[in-house]
Amino acid sequence: MGKTIAQKIFASHLVDEPFEGTYVLKLDRVFCHEITTPIAINDLVSRNMDRVFDPVKIKAVIDHVSPAKDSKCAMQEKILRDWAKRNNIKDFFDIGANGVCHAIFPEKGYVRPGFTVIMGDSHTCTHGAFGAFAAGVGTTDLEGGILKGVCSFREPKTIKFVLNGKLKEGVYAKDVILFLISQIGVNGATNCVTEFTGPVVDNFTMEERMTVCNMAVEAGATSGICFPDMTTVEYLWEFIKDEYSSKEEALKDYSKWIDDADAEYEKVYEFDLSDLEPLCTINYKPDNVKKISEMAGTPVNQVYIGSCTNGRISDLRVAASVLKGKHLADGVRGIVAPATPKVYKQALDEGLISIFMDAGFCVTNPTCGACLGMSNGVLAEGEVCASTTNRNFNGRMGKGGMVHLMSPATAAATAIAGTITNSPLYRG
């Protein structure tokens, strides 16, 4: 029987099977940030195990509250900072060089097809866009990864999405993943890997694939995966050009991770997305989704553009194209957070920052703060935010606040109108 990409990665990284169906895998990358890692660090220190399995394979960043907003946050950052120094972790991104973890690590070329990746963060599934098995884990597993470079998993079953057709203008990857979550529910992929395939995915850029994989966890998935192809190779080429004689050779090597023709799946979903419209969430679950046309006229207090889902340069370009020459509606505040310093500089060089500022937006440094209600965009009780983030849980961006998840194009149009509305880029 053939294997799925997840099964191939498991087989190639298997260290031990201590119990039937429980697989201990060697890790290619352990990513760390200042919110979840300090707990693991302190526990390791208390056990006289303050060491790392490989300082090169561990990457760390301060990304959620940047810079620190209070003494507690400052201490979390100090613990991570001091630990990285003690253990000679070269790739530690401190204030000024830091960015959103799931944007800066791919940007640096740290993820490759066939890799195993863990992090104490649920949206680690983003990195599956490269054809990797990437999963968010708890403190105990994170400690084991840091110390020994291994992590145990039950072999996940695979759900395959075949996305056919061609998206209309003004419909984006964010709309696609919101649609898929709405179809299977927030528990529809629990303990599974979700594969995203078909012509729509083939035509996606790497940034669009990261958007889709980023929200696989919102359907309960352990990891979201796209097959590596020439788009993957092109994105990684500056980092892998010394490993391969040509892009074609790299593609041939990476293609070994693609599913076998006779691989078996838990489920296969096939959708034609040719008629898909821009979408947004309602209420407090990511599977509560409506068409923007059905939500038109819903007032908002804040518009947020950024996050590990939609804070990359392509996202800012789309939003800026809608905002150019326009201004925020009265009573609406806008916040944009480029996901990394590189994205910020690109946006600055391309004049996008000026467009945002001329439109009345506050442009912040790279940070995850607003997405989980920690800093740089927290909502007051009763306020409504149109956001390009990934979670609309009750209180996610602030106690008593409501979050409507949507694409950057829709968010920008909503900022101008003051109410939820389709962007002029949408050709319905």
Side-chain angles (χ1 to χ4, degrees):
M1 183 178 70
K3 290 184 172 65
T4 64
I5 184 170
Q7 289 172 330
K8 289 183 178 184
I9 293 172
F10 269 53
S12 67
H13 288 74
L14 185 63
V15 174
D16 191 15
E17 188 179 355
F19 311 103
E20 185 178 357
T22 297
Y23 302 91
V24 178
L25 307 182
K26 64 180 178 181
L27 300 172
D28 296 297
R29 293 287 183 266
V30 176
F31 293 153
C32 302
H33 62 51
E34 89 285 6
I35 300 300
T36 56
T37 310
I39 303 170
I41 292 170
N42 286 343
D43 191 60
L44 288 170
V45 169
S46 73
R47 298 169 184 270
N48 296 315
M49 295 179 176
D50 183 22
R51 55 187 182 272
V52 300
F53 82 102
D54 188 333
V56 175
K57 292 182 178 180
I58 294 177
K59 317 291 182 182
V61 64
I62 290 170
D63 66 348
H64 281 75
V65 183
S66 170
K69 66 175 183 176
D70 54 32
S71 297
K72 182 180 178 180
C73 291
M75 181 53 68
Q76 286 179 294
E77 295 176 10
K78 184 178 188 302
I79 291 169
L80 188 70
R81 186 178 295 119
D82 292 349
W83 168 76
K85 185 176 181 179
R86 288 196 308 272
N87 289 284
N88 299 311
I89 294 171
K90 174 187 173 184
D91 297 315
F92 168 60
F93 301 95
D94 208 336
I95 307 299
N98 60 329
V100 174
C101 55
H102 305 309
I104 199 168
F105 291 149
E107 184 182 273
K108 299 289 184 181
Y110 294 155
V111 186
R112 310 286 171 80
F115 269 20
T116 50
V117 181
I118 66 166
M119 187 176 193
D121 190 288
S122 56
H123 292 102
T124 306
C125 49
T126 307
H127 308 287
F130 292 85
F133 176 79
V137 298
T139 302
T140 302
D141 285 331
L142 182 61
E143 283 188 45
I146 290 170
L147 187 65
K148 296 293 186 179
V150 297
C151 191
S152 62
F153 294 95
R154 301 288 293 181
E155 185 178 54
K157 298 176 181 178
T158 295
I159 293 176
K160 185 173 186 176
F161 290 98
V162 183
L163 308 182
N164 296 314
K166 181 179 180 181
L167 298 180
K168 294 180 180 179
E169 289 184 51
V171 178
Y172 298 93
K174 183 63 157 286
D175 303 304
V176 170
I177 189 59
L178 288 176
F179 170 77
L180 297 180
I181 296 168
S182 75
Q183 295 302 297
I184 69 170
V186 292
N187 298 315
T190 299
N191 297 325
C192 292
V193 164
T194 50
E195 287 182 1
F196 301 106
T197 68
V200 170
V201 179
D202 293 343
N203 289 323
F204 274 164
T205 64
M206 283 309 302
E207 296 194 349
E208 291 171 310
R209 294 176 189 183
M210 283 187 265
T211 293
V212 170
C213 289
N214 175 270
M215 291 187 66
V217 69
E218 309 307 339
T222 302
S223 185
I225 295 184
C226 296
F227 295 147
D229 59 10
M230 188 54 78
T231 300
T232 318
V233 172
E234 292 282 0
Y235 185 96
L236 290 172
W237 186 244
E238 65 176 300
F239 308 106
I240 64 173
K241 59 186 178 183
D242 294 332
E243 301 172 25
Y244 299 98
S245 62
S246 66
K247 294 177 181 177
E248 288 70 26
E249 183 190 356
L251 177 60
K252 182 179 180 181
D253 183 33
Y254 290 159
S255 295
K256 68 189 177 189
W257 299 111
I258 296 174
D259 288 1
D260 294 328
D262 55 345
E264 293 188 358
Y265 307 95
E266 179 72 2
K267 294 179 182 177
V268 177
Y269 293 98
E270 192 160 352
F271 298 103
D272 187 330
L273 302 183
S274 300
D275 293 324
L276 185 66
E277 295 183 26
L279 304 171
C280 74
T281 58
I282 60 170
N283 300 325
Y284 300 108
K285 289 169 59 184
D287 60 357
N288 292 170
V289 174
K290 281 191 174 183
K291 298 175 182 178
I292 298 299
S293 58
E294 296 174 316
M295 293 292 289
T298 303
V300 302
N301 305 102
Q302 176 174 293
V303 171
Y304 184 82
I305 298 171
S307 85
C308 60
T309 316
N310 286 122
R312 298 176 178 84
I313 190 64
S314 57
D315 302 308
L316 302 193
R317 286 170 180 158
V318 169
S321 72
V322 174
L323 289 165
K324 189 172 184 179
K326 305 292 195 306
H327 198 275
L328 286 167
D330 289 342
V332 175
R333 59 187 183 274
I335 301 169
V336 60
T340 70
K342 180 180 178 181
V343 172
Y344 197 118
K345 189 175 187 307
Q346 281 181 282
L348 192 62
D349 292 344
E350 294 177 19
L352 307 184
I353 300 299
S354 291
I355 292 173
F356 285 116
M357 295 184 71
D358 289 345
F361 271 73
C362 167
V363 181
T364 80
N365 56 291
T367 174
C368 296
C371 180
L372 71 168
M374 294 189 73
S375 64
N376 289 44
V378 179
L379 299 176
E381 187 170 353
E383 288 192 319
V384 177
C385 183
S387 180
T388 68
T389 53
N390 46 42
R391 264 187 195 150
N392 60 329
F393 297 167
N394 192 358
R396 171 70 176 181
M397 290 183 72
K399 184 179 179 181
M402 167 67 76
V403 181
H404 296 293
L405 306 178
M406 58 187 66
S407 75
T410 306
T414 298
I416 298 165
T419 58
I420 293 177
T421 187
N422 269 317
S423 84
L425 302 177
Y426 173 56
R427 304 287 189 263

